[in-house]
């Protein structure tokens, strides 16, 4: 639920228009979602091995420190705090506020103000207990999966779509000219899949981590690949590509074609729910990175504080929330998710490399799961 809930955030409801802008054929649009999913799955399988070797809070911070030395763990942790995780929280909060604007006209300043308020609210919730934050996460995730499933079903069952909207299905451009737009589109796709790694950040709080971390990583990523591929087929079935490129709220516009304004309102509410739930996952999981660093004196010592009653890293949560609010003010949704993808995938690639390094460096360490085809 943590992984699925973190992945189903704002991206799948907003970035399809960006992808359609760069890729001018239905096959390319659908293919890039599958490619992004497979890349994310490979990342998840790599992290699954590392997570069973080091089932403690911190995730990539721990793996990079073990494989490459403390410097790389330090750099990842501070990159996470300054831009990767905090910008992800900021971007999803902005998406939440943007879709709220469907119901109440909001100025750019008001959108940022509401985004900040949502971060403050979620930070507060997660300060008052791990189980409470997890319960909120599970509830939001069930609702999000149901909303996506309903939209997929309605899209193919109700009248309003057309098979002709998939035209042109194949691109007339040669492959070399498609490499650059595919790469740009892939940034947006990888942002939509981001969150598959979140379980590793709270590995120290997972029951039977050697068994449950690999299962959660694999199952959640497979679920999302299936959902994302189907929902993009629905978008394309309901909206021609040239219409999709001009849409700011793709999911709502797609729903409007089958059930009118009621459908658009339902989808806007579902997106808000989705973004809010995803951000709860980010807030919950990512604060454990800075907590783990602080315990090893690589972050401010006060961040290692755990509240004696609620057993949460309260100072880490508050510091993360404050900086995320600053980033909300600093940029737009597109700028924020570009920061996240550019910085995070450098460290994701290094984590995949850590699998190979640690097979040689620590050959006798127990591995309850081994990455196939590594």
């Amino acid at each position: 639920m943590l992984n699925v809930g973190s992945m189903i955030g704002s991206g799948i409801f907003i970035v399809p228009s960006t992808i359609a802008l760069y890729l001018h054929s239905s096959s390319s649009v659908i293919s890039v979602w599958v490619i992004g999913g497979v890349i994310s799955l490979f990342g998840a399988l790599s992290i699954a091995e590392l997570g069973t070797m080091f089932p403690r809070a911190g995730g990539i911070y721990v793996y990079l420190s073990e494989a490459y030395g403390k410097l790389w763990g330090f750099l990842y942790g501070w990159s996470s705090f300054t831009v990767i995780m905090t910008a992800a929280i900021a971007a999803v909060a902005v998406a939440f506020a943007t879709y709220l604007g469907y119901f109440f006209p909001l100025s750019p300043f008001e959108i940022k103000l509401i985004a900040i308020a949502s971060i403050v609210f979620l930070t507060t919730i997660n300060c008052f207990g791990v189980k409470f934050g997890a319960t909120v996460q599970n509830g939001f995730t069930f609702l999000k999966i149901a909303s996506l499933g309903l939209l997929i079903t309605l899209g193919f069952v109700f009248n309003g779509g057309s098979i002709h909207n998939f035209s042109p299905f194949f691109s007339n451009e040669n492959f070399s000219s498609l490499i650059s737009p595919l790469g740009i589109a892939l940034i947006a796709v990888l942002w939509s899949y981001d969150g598959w790694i979140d379980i590793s950040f709270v590995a120290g709080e997972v029951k039977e981590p050697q068994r449950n971390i690999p299962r959660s990583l694999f199952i959640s990523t497979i679920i999302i690949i299936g959902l994302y591929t189907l929902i993009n087929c629905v978008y394309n079935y309901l909206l021609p590509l040239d219409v999709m490129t001009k849409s700011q709220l793709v999911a709502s516009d797609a729903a409007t074609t089958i059930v009118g304004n009621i459908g658009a309102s339902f989808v806007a509410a579902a997106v808000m729910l989705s973004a809010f739930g995803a951000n709860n996952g980010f807030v919950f999981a990512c604060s454990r990175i800075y907590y783990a660093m602080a315990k090893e004196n690589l972050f401010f010592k006060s961040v290692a504080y755990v509240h004696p009653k609620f057993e949460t890293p309260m100072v880490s949560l508050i510091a993360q929330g404050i900086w995320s609010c600053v980033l909300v003010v600093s940029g737009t949704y597109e700028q924020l998710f570009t920061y996240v993808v550019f910085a995070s995938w450098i460290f994701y690639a290094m984590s995949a490399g850590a699998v190979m390094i640690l097979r040689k460096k620590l050959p006798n360490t127990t591995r309850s799961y081994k990455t196939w085809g590594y």
Side-chain angles (χ1 to χ4, degrees), residues 305-324:
Y305 171 78
V306 175
H307 194 280
K309 179 181 178 181
F310 302 116
E311 298 181 331
T312 57
M314 192 170 282
V315 176
S316 182
L317 281 159
I318 293 169
Q320 173 184 260
I322 291 171
W323 186 246
S324 297

Side-chain angles (χ1 to χ4, degrees), residues 6 27-28 159 173 312:
S6 296
S27 61
S28 299
N159 292 326
E173 302 173 72
T312 57

Side-chain angles (χ1 to χ4, degrees), residues 73-88:
F74 173 84
L75 291 173
Y76 170 74
W78 276 95
S79 297
S80 294
F81 183 78
T82 55
V83 68
I84 298 174
M85 299 307 175
T86 47

